[in-house]
Amino acid sequence: MTDRARTFYLTTPIYYVNDRPHLGHAYTTILADTMARYRRLAGDDVWFLTGTDEHGDKIAQAAAKAGITPQQLADRNSAAFRDAWRQLGIEYSDYIRTTEARHTKVVQAILQKLWDAGEIYLGKYGGHYCFGCERFYTEKEIVDGKCPDHQTPLTWIEEENYFFKMSKYQAWLIETVERQPDLIRPERYRNEILGFLREPLQDLSISRPKSRLTWGIPLPFDDTYVTYVWFDALINYVSALGGPGAPRFERYWPHAQHVIAKDIVKPHAIYWPCMLKAAGIDLYRHLNVHGYWTLGGRKISKSVGNLVEALALKDKYGNDAFRYFVLREMVFGLDADFSEEALVSRLNADLANDLGNLVARATTMIQNFGNGVIPVSQPEPGGPGPVEDWEFDLPEALQNTKDAISAAMNEFAIQKALAAIWEFIARLNQYVDATQPWTLAKDQDPVARARLSGVLYNLGSGLRCLGILLKPFLPDAAKKILSALGQPDGLRLDDAEWHLLESGTRVEKPSNLFPRVVEGKDAVSVGLQETATVMKVEHTTRVKRDDFSKVDLRVAEVLTAEPVPKSKKLLKLTVSLGSEQRTLVAGIAEHYAPADLVGKKVVVVANLEPAQLMGIESNGMVLAGSTEGKLAVLTLDRDLPPGTKIT
Ligand code: MSP
């Protein structure tokens, strides 16, 4: 069961061009992009808008500081945002800039309409003004009667400005927010707004005299004033669709959902609904509010100066890893503290171990035990039914996963959707452990053959469905998984059905999806660090050739690898020595993700006495060299069959 085809219009805030994109902006945009991709995957009609907010004091001041015109600054930084979204693989439908004619036209039309309807009046505005900042400060912002920025005394000035009669919509707004419990979500922000609305609502000053600020949209009915930047900016959501009456507007506006952080709830939950009401435009469907990314507890922002560069993280760890981390780590509506260590541990645990390992094991086993082809999914002839069906009921697990994703996405809880997918991954990993295809592969009995077929089919099908489900969240990895299974582009959520994988499909092993990240001493770095130490070969006791040949060295192929519970260092490996399979425990977990090893041909000591390590009997030893924190497992530089003796 999937959602009925629906229409979605998703927007991000339009970002100020006095700043360059950082983690905070990137998060909102990735969140909206994920949602847009998910809806497209579900077959819905989606329009996804982002863009830049280019007028107002802030921009004018930043341009003056940089010695360029506001338009030059806007052009430069708007391009920087656009480029950042390109690099992060954001698939927006439209990018609006508030300096574009298509926007100013709609802003002026709405202003004129409100003016004609008597919704706007000329009034006196008095406030604490800072000449340094060229702006008014509210009582709350003032520190000891001074400008919080310049620490200079403020001047009380009064000027004539145009006001929008916002106060008259207070009762309507309260009633609307109360009637629609999911209008503003999560609930904490709805409660905040209802709390705010208990105080009388003031009218909104919507102009600035040109004597003070020229960088804005002139009021159509008085060109000695420009429009207040928030009144201008909010209208982008409507102007980008062509404004009321335009076909795109009629199609998408009734389904509008905004995505913002908690810093700008008030303009979106108070000014904007009142503006829409006055202009005779229906209210949006949902205002989705997420929390802040913080660093050491402080909001990441240009003014605090604690920027975290999204693009640098993406370059260092890869787009999917960065995307996965931010989507998984933040609970919708709450703040999340950023740390590179947390990113690395999620990458290693969830991506390298859980997902990477599953993909490597499943494709390797289909290669080794199924000749690289998806077998027929055969039920066991007679008997109680294959173990995979009665214990794991994978098609049902898939359906539950899809339902959980759908429910989570409907309430914007992306982290919950990811948790559901990771449960499915864990289940598939358990399925491999329980069914032990490597044991079935040794058995010539027809029941075992049929069971092996069924298990390999299920692994292929599990990966295919997983590839589809992951598309909105990890677009690059999903693509690699699906193409390894020979699947076409353009699969939809409806295609994630257990029996849609065709027998006979060729399977390849995708290259290492998520390499494990190793922590260096000072900084976290990808891969092992270079060391320039020259090793001396110490002269130790010489042995006779006969002594050496007592050690039975063999080529072994790693079939499975998994962490040993409660151990940081140990991995449990199942290896094939050709005629037999062995379980080994190797102290290499700090250097290799299980997925890095599966499918590798390594060298083992085959005649070592068994040893118990963390309760597991190890039957052999993997050869590896190590020095100064670096470790490498011995592999072959040319292919040899497992079991080949090394002399
Ligand atoms: N231009 C206005 C928005 C107008 S919308 C009609 C604006 N721009 S902004 O550049 O300051 O962007 C604010 C938005 O950027 C936040 O609402 C959020 O989406 C994102 N974030 C910026 N810093 C953030 C964090 N530290 N954490 C999470 N999101 C943050 O306000």
Side-chain angles (χ1 to χ4, degrees), residues 476-595:
D476 298 342
K479 204 176 170 132
K480 283 187 197 160
I481 294 171
L482 290 170
S483 85
L485 292 162
Q487 300 298 302
D489 282 346
L491 289 181
R492 295 260 180 96
L493 213 47
D494 279 346
D495 297 306
E497 289 292 337
W498 205 259
H499 293 290
L500 291 183
L501 175 62
E502 283 182 30
S503 302
T505 306
R506 289 226 131 261
V507 175
E508 284 172 5
K509 209 179 153 203
S511 55
N512 201 355
L513 278 185
F514 294 105
R516 194 180 170 81
V517 176
V518 179
E519 282 179 52
K521 265 198 211 123
D522 311 316
V524 178
S525 61
V526 178
L528 291 166
Q529 288 180 344
E530 290 296 312
T531 48
T533 329
V534 179
M535 298 302 295
K536 265 204 289 183
V537 179
E538 303 272 347
H539 287 282
T540 48
T541 324
R542 303 282 181 132
V543 295
K544 294 220 160 52
R545 203 178 165 77
D546 274 0
D547 290 333
F548 173 72
S549 50
K550 284 184 195 151
V551 183
D552 186 12
L553 296 175
R554 299 279 176 158
V555 173
E557 179 170 11
V558 181
L559 301 176
T560 67
E562 62 194 270
V564 172
K566 302 209 187 92
S567 167
K568 269 177 88 176
K569 296 205 169 132
L570 301 179
L571 284 183
K572 178 178 162 193
L573 310 179
T574 314
V575 300
S576 160
L577 294 180
S579 57
E580 64 168 307
Q581 279 164 24
R582 294 278 187 91
T583 300
L584 316 179
V585 177
I588 55 176
E590 288 173 316
H591 304 277
Y592 287 90

Side-chain angles (χ1 to χ4, degrees), residues 5 31 34 37 65 89 169 226 249 291 300 314 321 346 469 494 531 548 606 636 647:
L31 181 64
T34 306
R37 284 174 186 258
K65 225 175 175 178
Y169 294 105
V226 294
F249 179 89
I300 290 172
K314 171 236 154 208
R346 276 243 179 251
L469 299 182
D494 279 346
T531 48
F548 173 72
L636 306 180
T647 49

Side-chain angles (χ1 to χ4, degrees), residues 13-16 22 24-25 28 53 230 233-234 236-237 260-261 263-264 268 290-293 299-300:
I14 46 171
Y15 304 108
Y16 285 130
H22 59 66
H25 308 119
T28 313
D53 187 355
W230 268 105
L234 288 161
N236 89 87
Y237 301 132
I260 60 168
D263 51 348
I264 51 176
H268 283 84
H290 65 76
Y292 287 152
W293 278 99
K299 182 188 176 194
I300 290 172

Side-chain angles (χ1 to χ4, degrees), residues 387-407:
V387 63
E388 58 275 16
D389 290 338
W390 52 263
E391 261 186 1
F392 281 87
D393 206 347
L394 295 171
E396 188 188 309
L398 170 69
Q399 190 54 53
N400 293 342
T401 308
K402 290 204 303 188
D403 291 346
I405 297 173
S406 168

